[in-house]
Amino acid sequence: EMTVSTDGSTSMEKVIGSLGEAFSNKYDDVTFTYNPTGSGSGITAAQEGRCDIGLSSRALKADEAKTLDGTTLALDGIVVVVNPANKVNDLSIDQISKIFKGEVTSWKDVGGADTPIVLIGREAGSGTRDGFETITNTKDSCKYRQELTSTGDVMTVVSKNENAIGYISLASMNDKVKGVTVEGVAATEPTIADGTYKIQRPFVLVTKKGAQLSEGAQKFIDFAFSEEAKPILIKAGVVPVAKK
Amino acid sequence: MLKKQGTGINVEQIAHMVFLFLGIINVGFVLVICIYLVIAGLPAIKEIGLVDFLFGTKWASTAANPQFGILPFILTSIYGTAGAIIIGLPLGFFTAVYLAKFAPRPVYKFVSPLIDLLAGIPSVVYGFIGMLVLVPGIQVIFNLPDGSSLLASILVLAIMILPSIIKVSITAIQAVPEEYELGSLALGATEIETYYKVMVPAAKSGIAAAVVLGVGRAIGEAMAVMMVAGNAPNMPSLFESVRFLTTAVASEMSYSSGLQRDALFSIALVLFVFIMLINATLNLVLKHRGKN
Amino acid sequence: MQNNLPLRRKAYCGTMNFMMLLCTGITVALTFFLIIYIAVESIPHFSVKILTTKPSYLDDSIGVLPDILNTIYIIITTLVFVLPLGIGAAIYLTEYAKSKKLVGMIEYAIESLAGIPSIIYGLTGMLIFCQFFSLKTSLLSGALTLVIMNLPTIIRTVQESLKTVPQGYREGAFGLGAGKWHMIRTVVLPCCIDGIVTGCILATGRMIGESAALLFTAGFAHALNGFFDALTHSGATLTVALYVYAKEQGEFEVAFVIAAILLVLSFITNMSASYVGRRFQKSKG
Amino acid sequence: MAKVFQVKDFNLYYGDHRALIDINMDIDENAITALIGPSGCGKSTFIKTLNRMNDLIPSVRTTGSILYRNEEILDKNLDVTSLRRQVGMVFQKPNPFPMSIYDNIAYGPRTHGIKSKAKLDEIVEKSLIDAAIFDEVKDRLKTSALGLSGGQQQRLCIARALAVKPDVLLMDEPTSALDPISTSKIEDLVLELKQKYSIIIVTHNMQQAVRISDTTAFFLLGDLIEYGKTDQIFNTPKDKRTEDYISGRFG
Amino acid sequence: MAKVFQVKDFNLYYGDHRALIDINMDIDENAITALIGPSGCGKSTFIKTLNRMNDLIPSVRTTGSILYRNEEILDKNLDVTSLRRQVGMVFQKPNPFPMSIYDNIAYGPRTHGIKSKAKLDEIVEKSLIDAAIFDEVKDRLKTSALGLSGGQQQRLCIARALAVKPDVLLMDEPTSALDPISTSKIEDLVLELKQKYSIIIVTHNMQQAVRISDTTAFFLLGDLIEYGKTDQIFNTPKDKRTEDYISGRFG
Ligand SMILES: Nc1ncnc2c1ncn2[C@@H]1O[C@H](COP(=O)(O)OP(=O)(O)OP(=O)(O)O)[C@@H](O)[C@H]1O
Ligand SMILES: Nc1ncnc2c1ncn2[C@@H]1O[C@H](COP(=O)(O)OP(=O)(O)OP(=O)(O)O)[C@@H](O)[C@H]1O
Ligand SMILES: [Mg+2]
Ligand SMILES: [Mg+2]
Ligand SMILES: O=P([O-])([O-])[O-]
């Protein structure tokens, strides 16, 4: 009986959940667990050996990369979402940046109704937030009305509040919320794969440098990068990346 | 004939030792919790500086230039708790007096299981319903851009502490000797006058205990509030999204690292100190009651 | 001497009466609202499938069976540890302890334990069990955290029922030459078994309702495991699952189903506790 | 002599149990009436009927008539608060409220609408003087009444009853919880109060009945066996059962 | 006659309060010794010392010596369970355990290690017969002992005490909670038990002491005032205080 324990990013939930399920279906003798805690904590868990594989929805930072190996499993778009009732369909990176910095506070300034903009963000430490703020150049200056602890939560709030804007992982996208195009480009697999959709970040499998992976963990990583896994990743809404 | 007890250890002595150990172990648990919290909580306070930590008004734990001021959380916790008491206490108190003294037997028999049920509902259920009903409701009623707010948290907390306030108050009121009641009635007071002017004052330390208990519950609640407060680290304001001491810990803990993580443990330490102060107050109240 | 209360007194009594009825009314209405709202929202989503499967990403389906099992596992494990600890401590306090100081200290400790909020239990449980004892994020870590949390409940209820055992029984047993432990085992404990059961039920209720302490210690995986496997793995109880589904994933249907299950469980624990309590009082005459 | 109470064919039931049986009894004004009888004979039940304190027990049912100064008090529509104001009561166990001495006395007048501080001060002082306890407590009116001794507490309760200016004072074994010295103080007090009030007192203490009462009623198992001048009852009882009881042969 | 207990210069303190003062007293074998005296004089305290039940009260301290069949029982290292087995006790309030009648009687023997069903059956039957209650309960040995009447319960407790084959039987007011008929049954029983056991009995009932005891000890405020043959104590008391007490002048 082997076990594979993974721990980390909540935005990778769907991806890793699907992979894990397919993996357990394939090998009867392994138990696969996924603990959706967040990228930061997944990285720490990998470092402290509390899990076999850490899951991060952002690239490892320099000091983290000293002790850890990060392998990019897939690319994920970060979709800027609004309530389906919102008339705004497209925003530029600059507009997004101004909105989240609180410089633009009404939807009418970006072509929408005359209502206040309600900013929904993720909590400090989230890989999604880190990726979004880095790319839109809003690091540390977002004026969030709410800081929520998961992708699902952001979707719920945005879907319930006509004034809200937030950002979520493409993998989790559904029609409860509306994704806006960024500089005319919609977040889709091709646009992410070729880099024309700007707001994207990697999904990374994190392991301890130099440490021997358990048999199960090795099997899982091999599985994740196999041809067999590709359709699963695509179905989960992300763009697979070949193992380097 | 009466055999003397040998020096060997017998079952009775073993039993005594085991039970002694089981009793003492509770003290051990408290000590371990204290020690761990202090060990985990002090480094960040040392690094940030106690004054900056407690009285800083800005919390930006992952910024390039991180800031760790928890005054907004402290104030939010205090305001939120106070608000919950202000709403929950009168509601609970009048209900308790009614149930303890006026309710006809069938009404009492019907309502008291309801209150038990209310007490037994897990806090996340309150948070869940609050999130679906209260938050949108507040947004519409007060015409706000968003309903997640201190007010929503206060209402959820008020409902959550209601059953414990009711139950403790009922016990306190029922414990008042009947002689006071008779004495007052015999002077020509009506039943309502009797209950509110004699029975309730006589039960006041018990009711005070109920309040302190409610404060403890409200200040320590995390999950339910997390679902309705919005969790932005703002200075508290009734219609703004806010973060409590508990939710500050809960929302960032799983993502945290380094000084941020240490600072979260420091917040937990602050919360713990608050709770210990409240417990000490409760003890005083109860002791005072014991004397009367 | 017909009814001629002065207006001022009439007004006072009227106001107070009105306030009482109003507040009781609000409380009752609130409870009914909760019950009905949850019932209405959850009943359409109840199905055999949701109760008997685990969630699947591949099929895009949701089931709460793992959460139900995890809840049961964690309750059993917690009770296994907390009962001997709690009953033992209660016996020490009521039957053995002579030193007032020691009793005071232990009771203060128990009071403190009772007052500590669950989020702090969650944190210290994480530090102590998950990290220090390297039990990782697992049901066992969660259960051990709950053990400490629920000690005060068990100790208090057992103490209460120990105190109701008539002193005459103890004297009678001693008078026949029984030792203390023998006396406790053969006379006192059988007498307060109902009290112990009540304590268990109350503690079970608390465990079912707990979330904050489990989030960091037991985690929230929805894996379907056997008892011993589950103990070493992360797993969500119903309450944690409700939080995760409602808050993190926006899956309200299943959240309502869980809320309804929790409501029913809460009702059952209350009813059985008061049933046992009543029987207890009857047997004590 | 004028009558304060006129009891006619009065019966009282606790559920099915008839605790008082066809009582007929007129009670004198400005006199002390003692009720005696073995435990459980219905003395407390009877005295509590006179200010309708029995209303608190749901199972109680009554028949017959009791007139207080010619008004029917068994009437359902009667304003019991005003009856109780005029027919004050002192209980077996002293029951001061857990407030200051002053507030205990002022409780009744305040309840009945007196707000003026000066007026209240005056009533408190007068009641305490009348209850022969003023000198003992005058320096600590603001301290808790629970700090007083049992005898002082009982006199405080009497003062509290006097403060609402009652007409009749009912006393249910007011001295049975007290030591002999406190008892004799209260007996002196009762004798003095007789000038202004009509007093009905339940006692288990034959000597006490002889020492203080003008008339005595002897109850047995719910029946009023004999009722008359105290002298006559104790010296030349008409009924064998009265004689047996006062000579200690049963009870 | 042989002595079961020899008490020498015995003092007992509850904290600072000296509840028994310099007691000297030898207690006869196969006799009934009655302890009398007003409430609070220390009778219960004394009787409980004889089987060290006072150990349960933390504040108790003793000086002096008590020999039971020439062994010191105040010794710290004494095996109290074996002392209590030999010196059985019956309490004022019947205290059967909430188990079946059979289990009540079997409790003691089981505690002392007897497991065999046949042996237990025999002991139970014999003890019930000795306690003169066998006929009344023989058909319902497996039913709860709490269903018995007060008098039956007390005889059951006596049977329970007999089941461990004691040498001495201490009885602290064993009939004060009972009706006259039960009382006389227990008195008869005690007189019969005297053949086999030494009995020490506390009683408030002078008549009872006269009826059943061989010797009587009169306690007053912790002092053993007078101790001697029951006849002599009740007919020609040497001490004025004893005389006062038995003639009912105080207590
Ligand atoms: N609340 C009650 N419900 C039913 N029966 C009652 C109640 N109170 C008293 N009784 C019964 O009514 C009878 C008279 O009781 P009451 O208290 O008046 O006696 P009493 O003469 O005052 O006795 P005591 O001298 O002991 O105070 C008794 O048989 C008693 O059991
Ligand atoms: N546990 C105790 N702690 C302190 N003092 C006690 C205790 N038990 C008894 N006493 C005191 O010791 C004295 C003797 O009490 P004891 O019970 O032996 O009297 P008694 O003769 O049995 O009286 P009674 O006839 O009322 O049973 C009394 O003054 C009593 O107050
Ligand atoms: Mg009475
Ligand atoms: Mg005694
Ligand atoms: O949960 P995250 O992927 O945003 O860290």
Side-chain angles (χ1 to χ4, degrees), chain E residues 43-45 92 172-173 202:
Chain E
K43 307 179 296 293
S44 296
T45 304
Q92 176 169 11
D172 193 354
E173 305 184 32
V202 173

Side-chain angles (χ1 to χ4, degrees), chain E residues 14-15 17 19 37-46 48 57 59-60 92 172-173 202 204:
Chain E
Y14 287 115
H17 171 59
S39 194
C41 66
K43 307 179 296 293
S44 296
T45 304
F46 179 70
K48 279 196 279 181
I57 302 161
S59 66
V60 164
Q92 176 169 11
D172 193 354
E173 305 184 32
V202 173
H204 262 132

Side-chain angles (χ1 to χ4, degrees), chain A residues 177-228:
Chain A
V177 291
K178 182 175 89 173
V180 298
T181 54
V182 176
E183 308 192 323
V185 184
T188 60
E189 263 171 65
T191 57
I192 289 166
D194 67 15
T196 48
Y197 185 80
K198 294 271 168 39
I199 315 178
Q200 54 167 268
R201 43 83 187 266
F203 277 173
V204 182
L205 302 184
V206 182
T207 52
K208 201 160 183 179
K209 240 188 191 126
Q212 179 65 39
L213 275 183
S214 74
E215 196 189 337
Q218 188 58 53
K219 266 196 180 146
F220 177 74
I221 290 183
D222 292 343
F223 175 78
F225 287 100
S226 68
E227 282 304 313
E228 203 181 340

Side-chain angles (χ1 to χ4, degrees), chain B residues 123-175:
Chain B
S123 54
V124 291
V125 175
Y126 285 108
F128 180 45
I129 310 285
M131 178 173 121
L132 295 180
V133 178
L134 267 182
V135 169
I138 288 175
Q139 183 182 352
V140 171
I141 292 171
F142 296 98
N143 190 22
L144 302 172
D146 183 49
S148 297
S149 58
L150 180 57
L151 178 60
S153 323
I154 287 178
L155 290 177
V156 166
L157 287 176
I159 296 171
M160 283 185 55
I161 61 174
L162 189 58
S164 45
I165 290 194
I166 295 178
K167 283 165 106 180
V168 179
S169 306
I170 287 185
T171 318
I173 293 169
Q174 283 175 342

Side-chain angles (χ1 to χ4, degrees), chain E residues 196-209:
Chain E
K196 301 188 203 159
Y197 305 90
S198 314
I199 293 171
I200 301 163
I201 185 168
V202 173
T203 178
H204 262 132
N205 184 329
M206 270 357 100
Q207 277 71 44
Q208 187 170 69

Side-chain angles (χ1 to χ4, degrees), chain B residues 179-180 184-188 198, chain D residues 81 84 93 95-97 107 112:
Chain B
E179 290 122 44
Y180 296 162
S184 168
L185 289 173
L187 290 171
V198 182
Chain D
T81 61
R84 288 181 191 152
K93 209 173 139 247
N95 59 350
F97 302 136
Y107 179 87
H112 296 292

Side-chain angles (χ1 to χ4, degrees), chain E residues 172-191:
Chain E
D172 193 354
E173 305 184 32
T175 61
S176 71
L178 304 181
D179 58 289
I181 295 169
S182 303
T183 300
S184 85
K185 281 200 182 162
I186 299 227
E187 286 182 9
D188 293 347
L189 169 60
V190 170
L191 281 172

